[in-house]
Amino acid sequence: MCRRQKNERCRKAQRIEKYVAMQIKKPLKFVYLLLVALMALGTIIGKYTSTEVVADQFFGAWWFTLLWAVGVALGTAYFIRQRVRRPLLVLLHLSFVVILLGALLTHLTAHKGMVHLREGKSATTYTTKAGEQRPLPFTLTLQRFRVSYHAGNMAAMDYVSDILIQRDGKTTSYQVAMNKIYAGYGTRLYQSSFDDDMRGSYLAVNTDPYGIPVTYAGYALLFIGLVGMLVDRHGRFRQLLRQSKRQRATMAGLLLLMLSPVRAQTALPQATAAEFGKVLIVYNGRICPLETFAIDFTKKLYGSRQYQDYSPCQVLTGFLFWPSEWMKVPLLHIKSKALREQLQLDSYIAPMRLFGQQGYLLGPYLQEAQGEQSTMGKALLDVDDKMMLVMNLTKGDVLKLFPYSSPVGRVDWFAPTDKLPRTMPAAQQQYIRSILNLANQLAHQGRNDMLNDLVHKLQKYQVRYGGTTLPSPLALRAEHLYNQLPFATLLFMANLTLGLLSIFFLTRSRRYAWFTALMGLSWGVLTFTLALRWIISGTIPMANGYETMLLLAWLIMLVALLTTRTLQLMTTFGLLASGFMLLVSHIGEMDPNITPRMPVLNSPLLSIHVSIIMMAYALLSLTFVSAVAYFLACRSHHESLQRMNAQLTVLSQIFLYPALATLGLGIFIGAIWANISWGTYWSWDPKETWALITFMVYAVLLHPRSLPALQRPRTYHLYCLCAFLTILMTYFGVNYFLGGMHSYA
């Protein structure tokens, strides 16, 4: 009787506990979804106001802070009710509480502002965002401000303030630069801006003695928890790996399509034009072969690397030496159908077609287009940019081919139309003014041998006066090789074709192995492509959207190659997913040019941050491919396909766990980098906000016990399909719609 009463009391207590947990879970889900929705809304509001306004008045509002506090309280209560006893899970969830506590301390106790310094002048106070004057814990003096440039051009490499710190009769000198801060006496100083006359500097001031250490402690706990989630022998991820060894996973599915793409009467022979292509030019903030500029020039005008049988260097030199003839060639691509209809133009027109009896055809529309953001306005400006490029080339304004070393040892490069320094010898000035005119005469006379000699002399001139600004011979060879083929374009066509073909050989292991070998070859070619870009730029190729798409494709194929022996289907996955990424890089509006990095991006933490984030996106994209494959095959009655489909959830979850671990690590390594570079580890920039949204949305999938619906494969894969939209928004929506500090990536 006593035992029965005791069991009944236990059951009653369990029912009460379950009821209480359910009562907590409902508002917790609501608050969680509300936070995600509000963060998304905030980024959109920021587009039409500013990131600073939305950070202060939306994300910094008391009600938004209160909402996070309510979410933490409900989450903590629910977690305790679940009676989780595994230390790693406790540590992982605790890390988020500590991070949010650090953020709250920063919000409540930190002070930020700006101090303006002039050379030789001292400051003892700084100005807060509210316009208040607060004391510095020391006397601050600017000795000198300077900008260092990339060799041979005006692309800034770093901004440096040499300062003196005086306190208690002790004076110490320091340098504050991009990614190099001063930290002392509870205060951090960051290089922010400078005066136009280059004799004054603005330093950002941050005093956050409590928030930063607590937040960093939370990051440390998070790192341990995320890594522990992957290595814990009793964790779900290790269970999935053991399950995948017992059952071989395969699949079918994905569809994508591929696209593959009057004559000028006068041009240099291809060999002579190629010699011109070896001449160096300052372009895109760096010194590169003229061949590179010619390729971009032709692509911008015509939409392709080559016009008919003419090489890019022939097109460029054609406009340079025979402008009147080439202005009549129909190679100017008008992309906008609406613009073509309004101006009654064909898809490809001769540049001269834009000039008539009324003058420049686009002229009456340009002023209005510059003040609006409509599609028509952007199309007008795009065509006008192309015309300005042609006109600047024919005048010689863009041809910065001539280096000159000043008496102080500084090397600058000049175009023939530039104002030359007075210190430059008269003979050298005459050479710069006349050599292209002489080349023009030789081209018109057809004296190609003499023209080749003239080009060789120009190359020798550049070597003589270019000094340390010249690229290394290895970099020049790498760039010439890189320019020979559109590697990424060829790879996207190859990978998508092979991926689609591999579907028909899934049940033929020996023949399917050929596709794995070909993916390995594709990975090797992409590795070679990235290596060439690395040699050319001198930095890891992840400085812009184009390069990060290449890196993402590279990582997807690497993951596929490492796992395809255990999971045969990974070859198909790897080929299709990487092909898709390369296709996006091909058709998107990303900039394929190789340019010097912004000074703030020259940090080793950036390389780690971007690499880890790209790995996360690669793995999450494979969960999307798994979901697509599941729904393509779910209605099939074929026994082998049903067996394959049954394993797709396991395969997807194997990708999901390391994806979330790397995404979490990448986000918070980025926060540390931002704190070092900008003085704030979280600024509610659209890219970082959407990365957090992506993390929160995918983290839901790790809680099937609390959300039983996710235990059903159909619901799980449908959620993965929808969740992938957050990645698209993070990567493309921010770059092309929201903007922000991260819009370069």
Side-chain angles (χ1 to χ4, degrees):
M1 186 69 177
C2 292
R3 183 177 298 175
R4 186 182 303 169
Q5 290 176 344
K6 186 176 181 180
N7 290 339
E8 188 176 340
R9 284 196 300 270
C10 287
R11 285 193 294 271
K12 186 177 180 180
Q14 289 173 352
R15 286 196 298 271
I16 294 173
E17 188 124 343
K18 186 176 180 180
Y19 174 78
V20 172
M22 288 297 295
Q23 294 303 111
I24 296 174
K25 184 165 71 171
K26 289 179 181 178
L28 176 60
K29 289 194 292 186
F30 174 77
V31 171
Y32 195 87
L33 289 172
L34 185 59
L35 281 169
V36 170
L38 286 173
M39 286 191 291
L41 176 63
T43 61
I44 296 171
I45 294 174
K47 173 179 172 57
Y48 298 102
T49 55
S50 69
T51 301
E52 293 75 17
V53 169
V54 81
D56 289 337
Q57 301 180 17
F58 189 91
F59 295 121
W62 66 267
W63 55 264
F64 190 74
T65 303
L66 179 62
L67 191 61
W68 275 107
V70 171
V72 170
L74 290 172
T76 303
Y78 183 75
F79 189 81
I80 293 172
R81 287 288 180 180
Q82 293 297 101
R83 297 185 177 182
V84 178
R85 293 183 174 85
R86 289 173 52 201
L88 275 174
L89 288 181
V90 174
L91 188 69
L92 181 59
H93 289 80
L94 177 63
S95 68
F96 295 110
V97 177
V98 175
I99 290 171
L100 289 171
L101 176 60
L104 179 62
L105 289 172
T106 295
H107 182 66
L108 296 176
T109 65
H111 296 284
K112 297 180 182 178
M114 194 75 65
V115 58
H116 180 212
L117 300 170
R118 294 289 294 176
E119 289 184 359
K121 301 297 177 91
S122 299
T124 57
T125 62
Y126 68 94
T127 307
T128 67
K129 290 183 178 181
E132 301 174 352
Q133 293 292 317
R134 294 187 63 89
L136 288 165
F138 42 69
T139 299
L140 182 60
T141 305
L142 177 66
Q143 289 184 295
R144 182 190 174 202
F145 172 79
R146 65 185 187 277
V147 180
S148 58
Y149 297 95
H150 288 278
N153 61 76
M154 297 302 290
M157 185 168 63
D158 205 356
Y159 307 102
V160 183
S161 294
D162 296 317
I163 60 173
L164 293 176
I165 301 291
Q166 296 172 294
R167 175 159 168 159
D168 300 330
K170 182 180 179 182
T171 302
T172 313
S173 60
Y174 293 95
Q175 274 190 356
V176 177
M178 307 307 293
N179 296 306
K180 185 178 182 181
I181 66 173
Y182 165 80
Y185 305 107
T187 302
R188 299 156 74 91
L189 302 176
Y190 306 79
Q191 182 64 50
S192 178
S193 184
F194 55 93
D195 291 338
D196 292 339
D197 64 0
M198 308 286 285
R199 302 195 65 182
S201 178
Y202 288 86
L203 301 183
V205 182
N206 185 353
T207 59
D208 187 11
Y210 307 112
I212 290 177
V214 173
T215 302
Y216 278 21
Y219 292 166
L221 294 177
L222 178 69
F223 294 166
I224 296 170
L226 289 174
V227 174
M229 180 178 70
L230 300 180
V231 301
D232 182 13
R233 289 198 295 177
H234 303 292
R236 175 63 177 159
F237 179 65
R238 294 292 293 271
Q239 291 176 7
L240 289 168
L241 288 180
R242 288 192 290 270
Q243 185 177 344
S244 70
K245 290 180 181 179
R246 292 192 297 267
Q247 302 171 342
R248 295 185 65 184
T250 43
M251 80 128 214
L254 189 69
L255 64 150
L256 280 168
L257 57 92
M258 298 167 293
L259 302 172
S260 54
V262 116
R263 182 177 176 90
Q265 299 301 310
T266 343
L268 291 178
Q270 192 161 357
T272 303
E275 285 301 312
F276 251 101
K278 297 177 184 178
V279 172
L280 300 179
I281 183 174
V282 176
Y283 169 59
N284 254 354
R286 68 187 185 93
I287 297 169
C288 65
L290 191 67
E291 173 187 57
T292 300
F293 174 59
I295 291 172
D296 288 349
F297 176 84
T298 308
K299 283 165 59 178
K300 188 171 183 65
L301 262 61
Y302 187 59
S304 177
R305 292 167 56 96
Q306 185 169 317
Y307 173 69
Q308 296 184 359
D309 295 332
Y310 294 105
S311 70
C313 291
Q314 285 179 298
V315 173
L316 183 77
T317 53
F319 272 100
L320 182 62
F321 297 137
W322 293 277
S324 58
E325 288 86 350
W326 277 83
M327 287 289 282
K328 300 174 185 176
V329 176
L331 52 58
L332 182 62
H333 184 30
I334 310 295
K335 299 178 184 178
S336 171
K337 182 179 179 181
L339 181 61
R340 294 199 301 266
E341 291 176 351
Q342 179 173 336
L343 301 180
Q344 298 180 345
L345 299 173
D346 296 327
S347 295
Y348 291 91
I349 65 168
M352 189 60 72
R353 175 72 175 77
L354 294 177
F355 296 90
Q357 295 180 352
Q358 303 295 327
Y360 186 35
L361 193 61
L362 304 183
Y365 306 97
L366 283 176
Q367 186 172 359
E368 183 180 350
Q370 289 170 353
E372 61 181 36
Q373 294 295 320
S374 66
T375 303
M376 178 67 76
K378 292 179 179 178
L380 275 165
L381 293 174
D382 177 64
V383 177
D384 184 61
D385 284 345
K386 294 177 181 180
M387 284 304 304
M388 290 304 102
L389 178 61
V390 171
M391 301 308 294
N392 288 334
L393 172 65
T394 57
K395 290 189 296 183
D397 292 349
V398 297
L399 299 176
K400 293 186 178 294
L401 308 175
F402 305 98
Y404 167 67
S405 180
S406 69
V408 296
R410 176 182 172 82
V411 178
D412 291 303
W413 290 60
F414 297 92
T417 55
D418 287 340
K419 183 179 180 181
L420 302 178
R422 293 181 179 180
T423 55
M424 182 183 290
Q428 193 172 352
Q429 293 191 33
Q430 180 63 27
Y431 176 80
I432 293 174
R433 300 293 189 202
S434 62
I435 185 172
L436 290 183
N437 290 331
L438 179 57
N440 186 41
Q441 294 175 17
L442 294 174
H444 279 264
Q445 295 168 6
R447 304 170 73 174
N448 295 319
D449 290 342
M450 295 184 67
L451 184 57
N452 285 335
D453 290 339
L454 189 69
V455 171
H456 293 153
K457 290 178 180 178
L458 175 56
Q459 292 171 351
K460 291 179 180 179
Y461 171 92
Q462 291 182 330
V463 171
R464 177 180 177 184
Y465 292 103
T468 58
T469 67
L470 299 178
S472 69
L474 176 61
L476 291 175
R477 287 196 298 271
E479 187 150 5
H480 177 68
L481 185 57
Y482 181 83
N483 286 335
Q484 298 312 298
L485 289 172
F487 290 101
T489 301
L490 296 175
L491 287 177
F492 101 70
M493 292 190 289
N495 284 16
L496 288 181
T497 303
L498 291 171
L500 292 170
L501 289 176
S502 69
I503 294 171
F504 302 102
F505 295 89
L506 282 168
T507 57
R508 305 177 185 179
S509 298
R510 289 189 178 181
R511 294 187 179 181
Y512 191 79
W514 281 101
F515 291 95
T516 304
L518 290 172
M519 182 173 67
L521 177 62
S522 176
W523 180 81
V525 173
L526 186 54
T527 302
F528 178 67
T529 303
L530 289 168
L532 288 178
R533 291 185 71 94
W534 192 338
I535 293 170
I536 294 166
S537 67
T539 57
I540 298 176
M542 54 178 66
N544 53 43
Y546 181 83
E547 290 182 340
T548 53
M549 289 304 292
L550 297 185
L551 178 61
L552 190 53
W554 184 85
L555 289 168
I556 287 173
M557 284 193 282
L558 178 62
V559 171
L561 288 169
L562 294 175
T563 57
T564 193
R565 291 189 62 183
T566 304
L567 308 166
Q568 177 179 303
L569 184 61
M570 284 303 300
T571 293
T572 300
F573 276 4
L575 287 168
L576 290 175
S578 63
F580 171 73
M581 299 303 169
L582 293 168
L583 171 63
V584 170
S585 72
H586 171 74
I587 65 176
E589 296 178 359
M590 298 179 181
D591 182 6
N593 303 321
I594 304 168
T595 57
R597 281 187 182 171
M598 298 163 56
V600 75
L601 303 184
N602 290 317
S603 168
L605 282 177
L606 169 68
S607 302
I608 300 171
H609 162 63
V610 174
S611 299
I612 294 177
I613 288 282
M614 287 298 103
M615 175 62 77
Y617 289 161
L619 293 169
L620 290 175
S621 69
L622 293 176
T623 68
F624 170 75
V625 176
S626 298
V628 173
Y630 175 87
F631 285 108
L632 286 175
C634 66
R635 294 185 180 277
S636 173
H637 298 292
H638 196 284
E639 183 179 348
S640 61
L641 284 179
Q642 288 181 341
R643 189 167 57 252
M644 297 172 194
N645 222 23
Q647 299 306 312
L648 280 171
T649 305
V650 174
L651 177 63
S652 178
Q653 290 177 344
I654 288 174
F655 296 140
L656 177 66
Y657 278 83
L660 273 173
T662 49
L663 182 58
L665 293 173
I667 289 172
F668 295 109
I669 288 174
I672 294 171
W673 167 52
N675 194 37
I676 292 173
S677 299
W678 289 302
T680 176
Y681 48 82
W682 198 266
S683 58
W684 295 107
D685 180 74
K687 180 79 81 172
E688 64 189 16
T689 304
W690 272 97
L692 178 60
I693 291 172
T694 301
F695 183 83
M696 292 178 67
V697 167
Y698 274 98
V700 171
L701 292 169
L702 299 185
H703 299 81
R705 286 181 58 192
S706 298
L707 301 167
L710 293 174
Q711 296 176 14
R712 297 193 292 270
R714 181 179 291 272
T715 305
Y716 171 87
H717 288 296
L718 181 61
Y719 189 95
C720 286
L721 283 178
C722 297
F724 191 68
L725 295 175
T726 63
I727 294 181
L728 297 179
M729 187 64 190
T730 302
Y731 202 88
F732 300 105
V734 171
N735 286 359
Y736 303 118
F737 175 65
L738 296 178
M741 291 187 296
H742 291 77
S743 58
Y744 56 84

